[in-house]
Structure formats: C-alpha cells, structure tokens
Amino acid sequence: MNITFEEQRLEILKNFNILDSDREKEYDEITSLAAKVCNTPIALIAFCDSDRQFIKSNIGFGLSEIPRDNSLCSYVIEADNKQFIISDLLKDP
C-alpha cells in the first residue's frame, strides 16, 4: 500500500502530540520575534490536521483553531511542495 505525502504528514503530526496542547513559552517567543521581524500586528504558529488548523501560538489573533478549508495553510499543503506566494493577501481572491 502506497502512503500519500498527506497521510505521512498527518501521521508525523499525530506522533508529535502537539495538537490541542497548551501554550508554551518557547513557541510564544518565536511568534513574538516573527511579528517584530515582519513588522506585523498578527503572527501565529499553526499546525494543520485533516480538518482544522490548530493555533499553537499567536499574537493579535484570538482563535485557537479554524477550519482547515478557511486557512492559508491548506493552500500551502495543497501546493504539493511547490512554491506558494501571496504578495498581498488583501488583494488576493
């Protein structure tokens, strides 16, 4: 049986036991640094499982999860290891 990249990715994610875990100082420090470096009011670290995006750490974003089909991460995963660029999210359909 051939396992797909997505099935393998989900299995690895499951093995890390990070989904639905509590906030951690180290992740919050990375998120804070990313917001400063990118000069943006919103930054987050998220993990996508099969049907949702779990927000592990965030700055300026009040949700702990969103449906995967509403997430930018879903588009990146579906790009299948190809470069995925959104120049201006406000202008991109």
Side-chain angles (χ1 to χ4, degrees), residues 12-67:
I12 291 168
L13 181 61
K14 179 182 171 187
N15 290 338
F16 275 111
N17 292 319
I18 198 161
L19 297 173
D20 299 314
S21 60
D22 293 333
R23 291 186 74 121
E24 296 179 50
K25 178 184 170 214
E26 293 82 3
Y27 284 90
D28 290 342
E29 289 173 349
I30 293 167
T31 305
S32 179
L33 180 60
K36 288 177 186 169
V37 167
C38 296
N39 192 30
T40 182
I42 298 173
L44 51 94
I45 297 175
F47 298 94
C48 283
D49 70 6
S50 59
D51 60 349
R52 69 186 171 124
Q53 178 177 306
F54 168 66
I55 313 298
K56 175 68 175 170
S57 174
N58 74 80
I59 301 247
F61 191 79
L63 301 175
S64 62
E65 68 178 55
I66 59 174

